[in-house]
Structure formats: structure tokens, C-alpha cells
Amino acid sequence: MVTVLSEIALALYIVGLILAIRTVYNDEPRQAGEWCNWILIIGLAVHSFAITYRYILTGNIPITSMHESSSFFAWSVMVIYFYIYYRFRFLVLGLFILPMVSILMLSSLILPSEIRPISPILRSYWLAFHTLFAFIGYASFTVAAGTGLMYLIQERHLKSKRPSWICTKLPSVQILDEINYKLIALGFPLHTLAIITGALWAEASLGSYWRWDPKEVWSLITWLIYALILHLRIVRGYRGRKAATLSIIGFLAVLFTYYGVNLLLKSYHLFQ
Amino acid sequence: MNLLVLGLNHKTAGVEIRERLAFSGDKLSIGLQKIKGLGHVKEVAILSTCNRVEVFVVTQQEGVFEDIKVQLSEIHGIETQLFSPHLYLYSGYEGVRHVFRVASSLDSMVVGEPQILGQLKEAYSFAQRQGTTGPVLNRLFSHAISTSKRVRTETRIAENAVSISYAAVELAKRIFTSLQGKRFMLIGAGEMAELAARHLINNGARDVVVANRTYQRACELATDFCGRAVDFKDFFSELVHIDIVICSTAASEYVIKKDQMQRLMRDRRNRPVFIIDISVPRNVDPAVNDIDNVYLYDVDDLQGVVDANKSGRAKEAEKAEGIVIEEVDRFISWLDSLQVVPTIVALRQKAEAIRDEEFKKFRNRFSNIGDEELKAVHYMGTAIINKLIHPSMVALKESGAEQTELVAMVKRLYNL
């Protein structure tokens, strides 16, 4: 049942992506945009229902395996996407965000989804706080990287002196830079809280705050990258191209912390 | 009598060449006088804008354009071979058509933009004040102006005239989203800068700062735009607070250089800035565009933005071209009549002179003839010459392409 719901959500996201692409090519984008938006809203509703249903089935917050967390990651990205959409009203963002959401949903569906008794370490009220902070933080960084990429494309077009039709479809560089900054400013404290709650949780369950586990090390690296971005922005007045590029590098660190560590390195964080 | 148009524009030459051939300051009157001084040149006018440099010459000798090239090279201190490949030369019908197309803004970088007509009027009245125009150019320019008005009222070209200023505003929106509350600065106060400024204000831009070499003019413009004027030498320090810069001074060197701009960006904490350089020669170092968060567009660059809007106007432009051709035909027939009328007059005068002379001889010889008879003889003489020259006159008036030859032939036959 949960799998079927997730599949429906994925299908709706992909349809949303196709509609978003068509919106770009459409001369009358308002109508197509409206459709795209409704499909995505239904997709997110189905997705939310799937997560809630899983929560009822397992009795704890469904972020305890790669299957669950990928789905939750995708869900968080969609929430951030809608937050940005309703504040700044541009649909093109979907073009850059929905592929990532679809990949996350797809990987969630490929990974084993059976409900198994979870390890005793996870049976803790820390689980909810730690994972919520971590994934909403990740989601902010993901959307920030999306706007960073959009910034780089728009900037390149404007600098080339031959701005094509793409320029008119993308928002202005100033607003993209602003959103990029705001999302990192949102994601960074969340990521910090995720590390703090993680450390407290580790102390409570394993007896030490920090164990230099690869997951811990890579979250720290990620944290340092975003700390650097904020430092450069606030103190050195970094903006635009450099900030956008750094936000994409930060996102690559996020991806490695999330996927890379689990797939390539050995970590006690791996809860399969 | 022939009209020659020698020139280059934004299509044939880059801004680097155009800016070197631009007639700024004293050069315009020097150019007019020097070209007028050439043998065979009857009338001359020069149009020099940021998009084109054109010399209009009325002459009988086609070869004169080689001499004009040499003059251009001397006046601007630029070697002939540098600009020669970019030149176009139109004569006669094509020349008139070109002038009318330019006036109607069909040859503009931004088709339909209104500035060119004003520039053409200015070029004409300047040449007129310098005394280098004559009947042909006077008629040519007034006809060009009326053609432009016809095009403007009979086609929708002006309606969707996407001017350079408009393109600049669109571009600004890709950088700043909205111009609401944005601050901008005018450096130099040309007609074009003024137009761009009005567009920006209409789109919500605020806090205009005007810097101009003549402070008086800066103050005038500032009052116009409810902004403030600053001393020209202080403009750079003001740039820290500015979002959009429109640069259009007549300076021959860069007024904004790269290293200056780099320092400025540090002081601005990298807030984006949009610089529109509509001056020719350029006033902003093109390398400034390499600095992050600085977006520099010169006149040529703006064309790229405008290109997207061109296709929609193709149909209206076609209609406008039709109007231009109609008007060219009318002008050409006037120009031709200019050649024919003196010939006809001369022919008639010659015939009448012969009649009068023969009549005098007749009267002297037959002194006993009464007044009635004398009148009849005179009448007969008039009737003969009228009937004799009538076919030649009709042929001259109705002659088309072979008119010049026919005029020459008539002159030779009758020894006029």
C-alpha cells in the first residue's frame, strides 16, 4: 500500500516535471503552469499520506532506513519547493528540483521496503528531532543548489551579451541570489541542530558525543562548507557567481554525506 | 545631378570602427567644409550618430567618393583600408531609398525607434547653417522627413517600436526583477540617455543622479527627472549607491576603467550593477564586464536583446518599405525634372530667339505692311516653333531611364 502510494507520488512528480518543461516552451504559460502546480500539490498530498501511513504501520517516525529516508528527503525538498514557489512564484524552479526529487523517490522505491524491527538505538525520542532537522536542512541545501544552478545559467546568458529566450524564462539574478542565500541561512542552523542532537543522542545511547564516524565527519565537512559560504557572504560580501558555485559544491557534499557514506564507507549510521 | 550616399552603420561595422569615424565636436563642420571644397561637390550633409556615419553628397561625378574617403581618413586620422571594407556606397535611386529608409527608422538597429528622425533633422539643419546644402538636399531631407511621418502614421512600426531604451529596461529586469525603487545615474546627457532615463522612470526607478561635464545641463536634467546633479569629477564616488548606470558622454577615452570598477565592487559589497554604455566611442572599458556582478552592455550588445522582437514587426516593415519606394519614385521624378526643365526652357528660349530675330528682319524688309498682317506673321512664327519643339519636350518630360542621354542629345542637336 505504502509502495503503491509512493509510486503514484513519483508518477505525479514526473508528470509535474514534464508539465514544467512544457511550460517553458509554451507561449501561454499561465494555464500550463496552473496544471503543473495542481499535479504537484496532489503528488505531495499522496506522498504525505504515504509517509503518514508508514508512520501508523511502524509506530515510529519513518526515517529509519534508506528506503524511508530517501522518501522523506524527497518530501522535504517538495515542501521547500512549495515554500519558495508561493513566495516568489516561479515555476521554472521545478525544472531544477523535480529531477532530484524523482531520483530520490526512485531510489526509495528500489531499496528494500519491508518493515523490520528497528535497532534499539533508534528507539529514542531523539530520532524524530535529529532526522527532521537533518532532512529539512538537506532539502534547503538542495533547493539552494537548484537556484545556484539557475543563477549560473542566467548569469552566463546575461554576460554573454546574447541573452536568448532562456533568459526570459529564468528569474532575475538578484532574486536567485537572494533565495540561494536565504535557503542556506535556513538550512545551516537546521544542519547545526541535526549535528548537536546527533551528538547528544550518541552520548545518551553510545556514551560519547563524537566518534569520528564517516557520517559524522562528512556532516562536519558539509557544515564547514556552508559555514564558509555564510562567512564569505556576511563578512566578505560574496555574492552571485562565487556564492552560487559554492552552494553547488556544498550540495555535492550533502549528496556524499547522504548517499556516498552509506554506499561507499562503513558507518554505524547505516540502518538497513 | 546625382545623389551619392557613402557611409557605414551598425550592420557593416563594429563599434570600434564607428567610434573612430564619428564626427564629434568641431569635426562635423570641418568635415562639411572640406568635402564641400572638393571639386564637383555641389551639396553635402553628414549624419553621425552612434549607429551610423553617413555622408550625403550631390555631385555630377561618381568618382568623387574616392576623394571623400581620403577626406574621412584625414579628418579622423584613420587609414583608409581600415574602414573602407565597411563602407557602402549608394547612388541615384538607391541613394534616395537609403536616406528615406534611414529616416523612417527601417535601417535602425532597433527598427521603428524614433530617435533617428531627430538626429537626421539635426544633421540637416547643421549642414544648412554651415551653408553646404542646396536645392537637392533641401528637398531630399524635407521629403525624407515627410516619408518618415507617413510611415509612422500608416504602419504600426512606431507602436511596437522597441527602442534600445526598452531593450535596456527588459535587460534590467533580468538582473533586478523589478526596477521599483532602483537608483540610477546618467553620465553625460545626450538625447538617447534622456530617453533611456524616461523608460527607467516609467518602470519605477527612483533617485536619479545626473553627472555631466557642463554642470548647468546636469542641473536642468536633474530638475526634469526630480533627481539631483553632481559634479562630473565626483560621479565615481556616487556609484557606490547606484544600481543602473547609463553612460553617454562625448569623451574619447574610458570614463570607467576596470581596476576602478573592481575597487568599487568591493565598496558595494558586490551588489549587482547594470551599466549601459550608449556612447560611441565607448566610455566604459569592455573588460569591466568580466567583473562578477557587473553587467555591461554597449550599443552593439543591446542589438542581441532586440533581435528577439524583430520578427513580429516584419510585416509592418514590409508595408513601410512599400511606402518608402512610393516616395522615392516621387522624389526621383522631381530630381529628373530638375534636369529636364532647364533643357526645355533653353530649347524654348532658343526657338523664341530665332523667331524674334527672323521677325525683326522680316519687318525691316517689308516696312509697308500693316499691323494686322505683322501680328499674323508673328503668330505664325510662334505656331511653327511650338509645333516643332513640342515632340521633343514631351519626349524629355516622359523620358525615364534614358533621360540623361536624351538631355545631352537635345543639347547637342540644338547647340544649347
Side-chain angles (χ1 to χ4, degrees):
Chain A
M1 175 69 172
V2 175
T3 323
V4 174
L5 286 173
S6 298
E7 277 165 4
I8 294 171
L10 171 61
L12 288 167
Y13 291 151
I14 291 172
V15 172
L17 173 61
I18 293 165
L19 286 176
I21 294 168
R22 282 199 40 194
T23 314
V24 171
Y25 288 100
N26 207 321
D27 288 334
E28 202 54 66
R30 181 157 293 182
Q31 188 87 25
E34 205 97 304
W35 270 101
C36 173
N37 204 36
W38 276 110
I39 294 286
L40 291 178
I41 287 172
I42 297 167
L44 184 62
V46 173
H47 195 177
S48 309
F49 186 63
I51 291 171
T52 318
Y53 197 76
R54 178 108 182 165
Y55 174 65
I56 294 164
L57 281 183
T58 58
N60 50 298
I61 189 157
I63 319 179
T64 58
S65 67
M66 277 295 273
H67 163 74
E68 289 177 347
S69 64
S70 286
S71 172
F72 190 78
F73 192 166
W75 184 84
S76 316
V77 172
M78 284 311 292
V79 170
I80 299 286
Y81 164 81
F82 272 110
Y83 167 68
I84 298 298
Y85 176 76
Y86 280 107
R87 274 209 54 192
F88 300 97
R89 293 271 165 192
F90 51 84
L91 214 78
V92 246
L93 183 61
L95 276 183
F96 294 81
I97 295 308
L98 290 170
M100 184 63 201
V101 170
S102 303
I103 289 167
L104 283 168
M105 285 304 279
L106 204 62
S107 63
S108 162
L109 285 166
I110 289 166
L111 291 163
S113 66
E114 73 271 25
I115 299 164
R116 287 181 301 188
I118 57 169
S119 82
I121 301 175
L122 292 181
R123 279 195 190 286
S124 159
Y125 55 90
W126 287 112
L127 173 70
F129 290 110
H130 175 66
T131 52
L132 279 174
F133 288 143
F135 283 104
I136 296 174
Y138 280 176
S140 310
F141 294 149
T142 307
V143 181
T147 58
L149 190 60
M150 287 161 84
Y151 179 96
L152 292 180
I153 295 171
Q154 179 73 300
E155 194 240 21
R156 172 160 292 201
H157 270 89
L158 287 173
K159 285 267 185 184
S160 75
K161 310 288 187 75
R162 288 281 175 271
S164 64
W165 57 275
I166 296 168
C167 259
T168 62
K169 300 293 176 184
L170 289 173
S172 72
V173 283
Q174 199 184 35
I175 201 110
L176 286 169
D177 187 55
E178 188 190 320
I179 297 171
N180 182 272
Y181 183 21
K182 282 191 171 150
L183 283 173
I184 289 171
L186 170 72
F188 183 72
L190 289 172
H191 190 68
T192 312
L193 283 171
I195 291 176
I196 292 170
T197 50
L200 292 174
W201 186 8
E203 208 278 329
S205 57
L206 302 167
S208 69
Y209 290 106
W210 195 263
R211 300 158 63 91
W212 294 107
D213 173 75
K215 194 85 168 185
E216 291 172 0
V217 172
W218 275 94
S219 344
L220 186 65
I221 291 170
T222 306
W223 186 89
L224 285 171
I225 292 172
Y226 284 104
L228 178 75
I229 295 175
L230 288 179
H231 169 83
L232 290 172
R233 269 193 181 270
I234 294 162
V235 179
R236 299 282 302 277
Y238 264 46
R239 253 173 212 272
R241 196 169 58 83
K242 285 176 190 153
T245 313
L246 283 172
S247 77
I248 290 167
I249 293 170
F251 176 64
L252 294 178
V254 167
L255 276 186
F256 192 78
T257 313
Y258 180 62
Y259 276 123
V261 172
N262 286 15
L263 298 176
L264 305 173
L265 306 171
K266 278 196 186 347
S267 163
Y268 76 84
H269 239 101
L270 201 61
F271 304 107
Q272 290 286 7
Chain B
M1 207 83 76
N2 195 9
L3 175 78
L4 280 188
V5 179
L6 179 81
L8 44 78
N9 64 16
H10 54 95
K11 287 175 199 152
T12 66
V15 68
E16 302 86 353
I17 298 288
R18 290 190 332 255
E19 62 190 19
R20 290 196 62 186
L21 282 171
F23 284 86
S24 50
D26 292 343
K27 280 183 181 168
L28 189 53
S29 60
I30 295 169
L32 285 171
Q33 296 306 342
K34 278 197 164 173
I35 293 171
K36 182 81 194 290
L38 293 170
H40 304 294
V41 172
K42 292 223 157 86
E43 304 173 30
V44 59
I46 295 172
L47 172 67
S48 173
T49 75
C50 47
N51 286 338
R52 63 182 70 247
V53 176
E54 314 225 1
V55 183
F56 313 109
V57 164
V58 177
T59 176
Q60 247 139 5
Q61 196 106 48
E62 296 260 338
V64 83
F65 84 92
E66 284 297 341
D67 302 329
I68 296 173
K69 273 204 300 203
V70 173
Q71 289 298 333
L72 286 179
S73 146
E74 275 174 21
I75 292 162
H76 298 291
I78 170 172
E79 282 157 52
T80 324
Q81 61 262 35
L82 269 177
F83 64 88
S84 227
H86 304 285
L87 284 180
Y88 43 78
L89 176 75
Y90 298 114
S91 95
Y93 184 91
E94 283 306 315
V96 178
R97 182 159 167 262
H98 179 73
V99 176
F100 286 11
R101 289 188 77 242
V102 168
S104 309
S105 189
L106 290 170
D107 196 48
S108 295
M109 177 180 279
V110 188
V111 173
E113 56 99 0
Q115 295 140 11
I116 185 66
L117 185 63
Q119 289 161 335
L120 194 82
K121 281 180 183 166
E122 181 54 40
Y124 168 54
S125 73
F126 188 84
Q128 208 180 21
R129 284 199 301 276
Q130 294 281 317
T132 62
T133 63
V136 177
L137 284 188
N138 288 345
R139 180 80 176 228
L140 178 76
F141 280 106
S142 75
H143 205 142
I145 291 160
S146 65
T147 302
S148 150
K149 281 181 184 150
R150 236 194 104 188
V151 166
R152 219 152 275 275
T153 50
E154 290 178 30
T155 73
R156 298 213 327 273
I157 246 185
E159 196 181 298
N160 51 12
V162 191
S163 70
I164 282 183
S165 331
Y166 181 77
V169 167
E170 283 304 296
L171 218 50
K173 285 182 182 166
R174 302 265 66 86
I175 297 167
F176 301 111
T177 310
S178 133
L179 294 180
Q180 218 64 47
K182 289 283 171 283
R183 294 176 173 157
F184 74 101
M185 181 190 265
L186 284 178
I187 305 171
E191 211 174 309
M192 193 125 153
E194 227 179 294
L195 207 83
R198 286 194 201 286
H199 262 88
L200 289 177
I201 291 170
N202 286 344
N203 281 276
R206 292 274 167 280
D207 293 329
V208 191
V209 179
V210 186
N212 196 43
R213 280 198 209 277
T214 42
Y215 188 68
Q216 185 57 35
R217 176 87 180 110
C219 289
E220 279 169 30
L221 264 185
T223 335
D224 243 26
F225 294 141
C226 305
R228 69 197 162 86
V230 293
D231 223 36
F232 190 78
K233 61 180 192 302
D234 297 332
F235 84 83
F236 209 83
S237 54
E238 289 283 335
L239 277 182
V240 181
H241 314 290
I242 299 294
D243 302 299
I244 301 166
V245 183
I246 301 171
C247 202
S248 75
T249 80
S252 52
E253 75 282 1
Y254 296 143
V255 296
I256 297 179
K257 298 183 192 75
K258 191 179 178 182
D259 54 328
Q260 266 181 322
M261 201 63 205
Q262 262 163 339
R263 257 173 286 142
L264 181 80
M265 285 315 279
R266 267 202 295 281
D267 295 341
R268 293 174 60 89
R269 295 184 57 83
N270 294 314
R271 273 184 307 109
V273 59
F274 180 30
I275 306 176
I276 303 154
D277 183 9
I278 46 186
S279 29
V280 175
R282 283 174 291 184
N283 286 167
V284 184
D285 184 353
V288 161
N289 192 50
D290 300 337
I291 304 170
D292 272 356
N293 303 307
V294 181
Y295 299 89
L296 167 68
Y297 276 73
D298 65 28
V299 189
D300 278 359
D301 300 333
L302 286 169
Q303 168 149 41
V305 192
V306 169
D307 277 346
N309 302 313
K310 265 185 177 163
S311 55
R313 279 171 301 161
K315 220 182 199 162
E316 292 301 309
E318 229 166 78
K319 215 155 105 191
E321 297 283 3
I323 293 172
V324 165
I325 286 175
E326 261 176 62
E327 294 297 329
V328 172
D329 286 341
R330 282 171 56 186
F331 181 82
I332 290 291
S333 63
W334 173 82
L335 192 66
D336 289 344
S337 73
L338 214 58
Q339 255 184 322
V340 169
V341 169
T343 317
I344 291 171
V345 170
L347 185 60
R348 174 168 284 281
Q349 277 170 350
K350 177 134 191 177
E352 281 171 353
I354 293 169
R355 179 202 60 193
D356 291 347
E357 208 185 305
E358 293 305 315
F359 184 67
K360 217 157 71 189
K361 282 186 199 157
F362 174 81
R363 207 170 43 185
N364 291 343
R365 199 180 300 171
F366 304 99
S367 49
N368 57 344
I369 284 179
D371 279 358
E372 277 297 307
E373 286 80 5
L374 271 180
K375 226 181 220 169
V377 169
H378 189 270
Y379 177 79
M380 186 182 73
T382 309
I384 289 171
I385 62 164
N386 276 350
K387 287 210 167 123
L388 199 62
I389 65 174
H390 179 72
S392 343
M393 270 166 61
V394 171
L396 277 171
K397 274 183 184 162
E398 287 174 359
S399 61
E402 75 276 355
Q403 186 170 52
T404 317
E405 292 148 52
L406 206 60
V407 166
M409 209 181 284
V410 168
K411 280 181 178 168
R412 218 174 115 199
L413 285 174
Y414 291 99
N415 192 23
L416 297 174

